[in-house]
Amino acid sequence: AQKVTQAQTEISVVEKEDVTLDCVYETRDTTYYLFWYKQPPSGELVFLIRRNSFDEQNEISGRYSWNFQKSTSSFNFTITASQVVDSAVYFCALSEVGDSSYKLIFGSGTRLLVRP
Amino acid sequence: EAQVTQNPRYLITVTGKKLTVTCSQNMNHEYMSWYRQDPGLGLRQIYYSMNVEVTDKGDVPEGYKVSRKEKRNFPLILESPSPNQTSLYFCASSRTGYGYTFGSGTRLTVV
Protein backbone atom coordinates (compact mmCIF):
# COMPACT_ATOMS: atom_id res chain seq x y z
CA ALA A 1 0.00 0.00 0.00
CA GLN A 2 1.11 3.54 -0.57
CA LYS A 3 2.30 5.55 2.38
CA VAL A 4 4.36 8.62 3.20
CA THR A 5 6.15 8.88 6.53
CA GLN A 6 7.53 12.06 8.02
CA ALA A 7 8.97 10.86 11.27
CA GLN A 8 9.92 14.31 12.55
CA THR A 9 6.82 15.83 14.07
CA GLU A 10 8.44 19.09 15.05
CA ILE A 11 11.86 20.67 14.56
CA SER A 12 13.11 23.82 16.19
CA VAL A 13 16.24 25.61 14.96
CA VAL A 14 17.86 28.96 15.39
CA GLU A 15 17.94 31.29 12.41
CA LYS A 16 20.79 30.64 9.96
CA GLU A 17 21.04 26.97 10.90
CA ASP A 18 20.64 24.37 8.18
CA VAL A 19 17.79 21.92 8.65
CA THR A 20 16.78 18.72 6.88
CA LEU A 21 13.25 17.40 6.79
CA ASP A 22 12.97 13.66 6.21
CA CYS A 23 10.46 11.89 4.01
CA VAL A 24 10.19 8.16 3.40
CA TYR A 25 7.62 6.72 1.05
CA GLU A 26 6.17 3.33 0.13
CA THR A 27 4.68 2.43 -3.20
CA ARG A 28 4.33 -0.58 -5.46
CA ASP A 29 4.18 1.57 -8.59
CA THR A 30 7.33 2.00 -10.62
CA THR A 31 6.11 5.36 -11.89
CA TYR A 32 5.17 7.98 -9.38
CA TYR A 33 5.66 11.59 -8.38
CA LEU A 34 6.90 13.06 -5.15
CA PHE A 35 6.12 16.52 -3.84
CA TRP A 36 6.84 18.93 -1.07
CA TYR A 37 4.28 21.51 0.07
CA LYS A 38 4.60 24.26 2.64
CA GLN A 39 1.76 25.32 4.92
CA PRO A 40 2.57 28.63 6.63
CA PRO A 41 0.63 29.80 9.70
CA SER A 42 -1.89 31.52 7.40
CA GLY A 43 -3.03 28.03 6.36
CA GLU A 44 -2.67 27.82 2.60
CA LEU A 45 -0.75 25.02 0.89
CA VAL A 46 2.14 26.20 -1.23
CA PHE A 47 3.71 23.91 -3.84
CA LEU A 48 7.49 23.69 -3.57
CA ILE A 49 8.67 20.89 -5.85
CA ARG A 50 7.61 17.91 -7.94
CA ARG A 51 9.92 15.04 -8.77
CA ASN A 52 9.15 11.99 -10.93
CA SER A 53 10.43 8.53 -10.10
CA PHE A 54 12.78 8.42 -13.07
CA ASP A 55 14.64 11.55 -12.15
CA GLU A 56 16.96 11.05 -9.20
CA GLN A 57 18.92 14.22 -9.77
CA ASN A 58 19.11 16.41 -6.73
CA GLU A 59 17.64 19.83 -7.10
CA ILE A 60 18.56 23.17 -5.62
CA SER A 61 16.42 26.27 -5.63
CA GLY A 62 17.94 29.12 -3.70
CA ARG A 63 18.21 28.04 -0.07
CA TYR A 64 16.13 24.92 -0.72
CA SER A 65 17.50 21.60 -1.90
CA TRP A 66 16.02 18.16 -2.31
CA ASN A 67 17.71 14.77 -2.19
CA PHE A 68 15.81 11.94 -3.88
CA GLN A 69 17.16 8.44 -3.27
CA LYS A 70 15.16 5.62 -4.78
CA SER A 71 17.33 2.99 -3.09
CA THR A 72 16.14 4.12 0.32
CA SER A 73 12.71 5.42 -0.81
CA SER A 74 13.52 8.82 0.57
CA PHE A 75 12.95 12.36 -0.61
CA ASN A 76 14.53 14.68 1.92
CA PHE A 77 14.31 18.46 1.95
CA THR A 78 17.06 20.74 3.24
CA ILE A 79 16.78 24.42 4.02
CA THR A 80 20.13 26.15 4.17
CA ALA A 81 20.60 29.19 6.38
CA SER A 82 17.05 29.02 7.70
CA GLN A 83 15.02 32.18 8.23
CA VAL A 84 12.09 32.99 10.48
CA VAL A 85 9.84 33.10 7.41
CA ASP A 86 10.57 29.41 6.86
CA SER A 87 8.52 28.59 9.96
CA ALA A 88 5.67 26.43 8.68
CA VAL A 89 4.42 22.89 8.43
CA TYR A 90 6.01 21.03 5.55
CA PHE A 91 4.30 18.11 3.85
CA CYS A 92 5.81 15.46 1.68
CA ALA A 93 3.37 13.78 -0.72
CA LEU A 94 3.21 10.93 -3.22
CA SER A 95 1.11 10.48 -6.34
CA GLU A 96 1.06 7.17 -8.18
CA VAL A 97 0.61 7.15 -11.94
CA GLY A 98 -1.36 3.93 -11.63
CA ASP A 99 -3.92 5.55 -9.34
CA SER A 100 -6.93 6.69 -11.36
CA SER A 101 -8.01 9.10 -8.63
CA TYR A 102 -4.89 11.21 -9.17
CA LYS A 103 -4.81 11.80 -5.46
CA LEU A 104 -1.95 13.05 -3.37
CA ILE A 105 -1.01 10.88 -0.42
CA PHE A 106 0.33 13.19 2.21
CA GLY A 107 2.66 12.55 5.09
CA SER A 108 1.63 13.82 8.50
CA GLY A 109 3.81 16.89 8.16
CA THR A 110 6.80 18.33 9.98
CA ARG A 111 6.35 21.56 11.88
CA LEU A 112 9.45 23.72 11.54
CA LEU A 113 10.01 26.56 13.96
CA VAL A 114 12.85 28.92 13.16
CA ARG A 115 13.71 31.10 16.15
CA PRO A 116 15.38 34.48 15.75
CA GLU B 1 -2.38 35.71 -11.69
CA ALA B 2 -2.82 31.93 -11.90
CA GLN B 3 -4.82 30.81 -8.92
CA VAL B 4 -7.46 28.67 -7.32
CA THR B 5 -10.07 30.74 -5.52
CA GLN B 6 -12.20 29.33 -2.75
CA ASN B 7 -15.03 31.06 -0.95
CA PRO B 8 -15.72 31.62 1.81
CA ARG B 9 -12.45 31.50 3.79
CA TYR B 10 -14.29 31.02 7.06
CA LEU B 11 -17.77 29.71 7.70
CA ILE B 12 -19.69 28.85 10.84
CA THR B 13 -22.99 27.11 10.27
CA VAL B 14 -25.54 25.00 12.10
CA THR B 15 -26.19 21.30 11.76
CA GLY B 16 -28.42 20.47 8.83
CA LYS B 17 -28.25 23.79 6.99
CA LYS B 18 -27.17 23.16 3.41
CA LEU B 19 -24.07 25.00 2.28
CA THR B 20 -21.84 25.30 -0.76
CA VAL B 21 -18.14 26.09 -0.84
CA THR B 22 -17.22 27.51 -4.20
CA CYS B 23 -13.99 26.81 -6.06
CA SER B 24 -12.81 28.40 -9.26
CA GLN B 25 -9.53 28.14 -11.18
CA ASN B 26 -8.28 30.37 -13.99
CA MET B 27 -5.59 28.06 -15.39
CA ASN B 28 -7.81 25.99 -17.70
CA HIS B 29 -6.89 22.87 -15.71
CA GLU B 30 -8.78 19.67 -16.37
CA TYR B 31 -8.17 18.01 -13.02
CA MET B 32 -9.72 19.32 -9.83
CA SER B 33 -10.00 17.86 -6.38
CA TRP B 34 -11.28 18.54 -2.89
CA TYR B 35 -9.36 17.65 0.28
CA ARG B 36 -10.10 18.02 3.95
CA GLN B 37 -7.45 18.47 6.60
CA ASP B 38 -8.00 17.29 10.16
CA PRO B 39 -5.62 17.07 13.12
CA GLY B 40 -4.25 13.57 13.46
CA LEU B 41 -5.81 12.46 10.17
CA GLY B 42 -3.92 14.68 7.78
CA LEU B 43 -5.12 15.60 4.31
CA ARG B 44 -7.61 13.30 2.63
CA GLN B 45 -9.23 13.45 -0.77
CA ILE B 46 -13.02 13.92 -0.79
CA TYR B 47 -13.88 14.04 -4.50
CA TYR B 48 -12.05 14.57 -7.72
CA SER B 49 -12.86 15.49 -11.29
CA MET B 50 -10.98 14.72 -14.48
CA ASN B 51 -13.03 16.98 -16.72
CA VAL B 52 -16.41 18.59 -17.19
CA GLU B 53 -19.18 16.24 -16.03
CA VAL B 54 -16.62 13.64 -14.89
CA THR B 55 -16.42 13.31 -11.12
CA ASP B 56 -15.70 10.47 -8.74
CA LYS B 57 -15.39 9.73 -5.05
CA GLY B 58 -12.16 10.02 -3.18
CA ASP B 59 -11.37 8.46 0.16
CA VAL B 60 -13.93 10.30 2.33
CA PRO B 61 -16.94 11.24 0.16
CA GLU B 62 -19.75 10.59 2.67
CA GLY B 63 -21.85 13.67 3.31
CA TYR B 64 -20.53 15.61 0.33
CA LYS B 65 -21.56 16.26 -3.24
CA VAL B 66 -19.76 17.96 -6.10
CA SER B 67 -20.52 19.06 -9.61
CA ARG B 68 -18.40 20.07 -12.59
CA LYS B 69 -20.65 21.82 -15.07
CA GLU B 70 -17.90 24.13 -16.27
CA LYS B 71 -14.18 23.53 -16.46
CA ARG B 72 -13.27 26.35 -14.12
CA ASN B 73 -15.70 25.63 -11.28
CA PHE B 74 -15.88 22.73 -8.86
CA PRO B 75 -18.20 23.50 -5.93
CA LEU B 76 -18.38 21.34 -2.82
CA ILE B 77 -21.88 20.87 -1.45
CA LEU B 78 -22.81 19.77 2.05
CA GLU B 79 -26.52 18.95 1.90
CA SER B 80 -26.91 18.41 5.65
CA PRO B 81 -23.72 19.36 7.47
CA SER B 82 -22.87 17.66 10.74
CA PRO B 83 -20.29 18.54 13.41
CA ASN B 84 -17.91 15.83 12.15
CA GLN B 85 -17.58 17.84 8.95
CA THR B 86 -15.90 20.64 10.86
CA SER B 87 -12.59 20.84 9.06
CA LEU B 88 -10.22 22.83 6.86
CA TYR B 89 -11.14 22.27 3.22
CA PHE B 90 -8.93 22.74 0.20
CA CYS B 91 -9.79 22.84 -3.45
CA ALA B 92 -7.00 22.09 -5.91
CA SER B 93 -6.47 21.99 -9.64
CA SER B 94 -3.89 20.44 -11.95
CA ARG B 95 -3.06 20.42 -15.63
CA THR B 96 -1.81 16.84 -15.63
CA GLY B 97 -3.31 15.30 -12.49
CA TYR B 98 0.14 15.12 -10.92
CA GLY B 99 0.91 18.11 -8.79
CA TYR B 100 -1.83 20.42 -7.70
CA THR B 101 -2.21 24.11 -7.09
CA PHE B 102 -4.26 24.58 -3.94
CA GLY B 103 -6.70 27.26 -2.95
CA SER B 104 -6.29 29.20 0.29
CA GLY B 105 -8.58 26.90 2.21
CA THR B 106 -12.01 27.18 3.82
CA ARG B 107 -12.25 26.73 7.54
CA LEU B 108 -15.70 25.30 8.28
CA THR B 109 -17.23 24.95 11.70
CA VAL B 110 -20.54 23.11 12.10
CA VAL B 111 -22.25 23.63 15.45
Side-chain angles (χ1 to χ4, degrees):
Chain A
Q2 65 283 74
K3 189 178 175 183
V4 175
T5 302
Q6 295 180 255
Q8 304 149 309
T9 307
E10 194 164 317
I11 301 175
S12 179
V13 300
V14 176
E15 208 171 17
K16 297 198 176 110
E17 279 186 34
D18 298 348
V19 57
T20 296
L21 309 182
D22 297 333
C23 173
V24 174
Y25 63 92
E26 292 175 35
T27 178
R28 286 194 203 128
D29 268 21
T30 54
T31 309
Y32 51 89
Y33 291 89
L34 295 165
F35 307 85
W36 277 93
Y37 283 86
K38 174 183 180 179
Q39 188 173 40
S42 48
E44 70 270 26
L45 281 166
V46 179
F47 169 83
L48 295 178
I49 190 171
R50 179 179 86 169
R51 198 37 124 209
N52 76 55
S53 52
F54 297 110
D55 183 2
E56 284 194 73
Q57 273 205 331
N58 291 334
E59 177 147 345
I60 298 174
S61 176
R63 295 183 298 106
Y64 294 171
S65 62
W66 291 269
N67 179 255
F68 175 28
Q69 291 201 346
K70 232 168 160 176
S71 59
T72 55
S73 297
S74 64
F75 186 43
N76 296 338
F77 173 31
T78 297
I79 302 175
T80 303
S82 59
Q83 299 176 1
V84 172
V85 293
D86 296 327
S87 296
V89 180
Y90 291 86
F91 291 96
C92 181
L94 163 72
S95 189
E96 297 172 320
V97 170
D99 182 350
S100 58
S101 74
Y102 299 95
K103 72 170 173 250
L104 285 161
I105 299 148
F106 285 88
S108 54
T110 297
R111 183 178 300 276
L112 173 66
L113 175 63
V114 182
R115 308 186 311 275
Chain B
E1 181 191 349
Q3 59 186 0
V4 178
T5 304
Q6 287 178 236
N7 280 298
R9 285 294 307 274
Y10 301 91
L11 179 59
I12 302 174
T13 190
V14 295
T15 299
K17 186 177 179 184
K18 181 178 178 180
L19 67 92
T20 299
V21 183
T22 63
C23 174
S24 180
Q25 50 96 1
N26 63 1
M27 295 168 280
N28 202 35
H29 286 169
E30 292 189 353
Y31 300 86
M32 296 187 76
S33 198
W34 277 101
Y35 287 80
R36 61 178 287 175
Q37 183 179 20
D38 301 289
L41 295 173
L43 284 135
R44 296 174 292 168
Q45 188 190 54
I46 304 170
Y47 266 95
Y48 65 98
S49 170
M50 291 177 285
N51 213 327
V52 175
E53 303 291 5
V54 181
T55 64
D56 207 345
K57 296 175 182 177
D59 292 327
V60 287
E62 295 76 23
Y64 304 95
K65 280 175 58 176
V66 293
S67 69
R68 188 97 182 269
K69 295 190 173 69
E70 307 160 283
K71 201 171 189 179
R72 61 184 292 125
N73 295 325
F74 190 43
L76 179 71
I77 302 153
L78 285 72
E79 296 261 349
S80 182
S82 62
N84 66 11
Q85 292 178 297
T86 292
S87 188
L88 177 57
Y89 291 88
F90 288 100
C91 179
S93 76
S94 173
R95 183 177 58 83
T96 62
Y98 303 111
Y100 282 81
T101 300
F102 282 82
S104 299
T106 295
R107 193 168 291 279
L108 172 65
T109 302
V110 183
V111 298

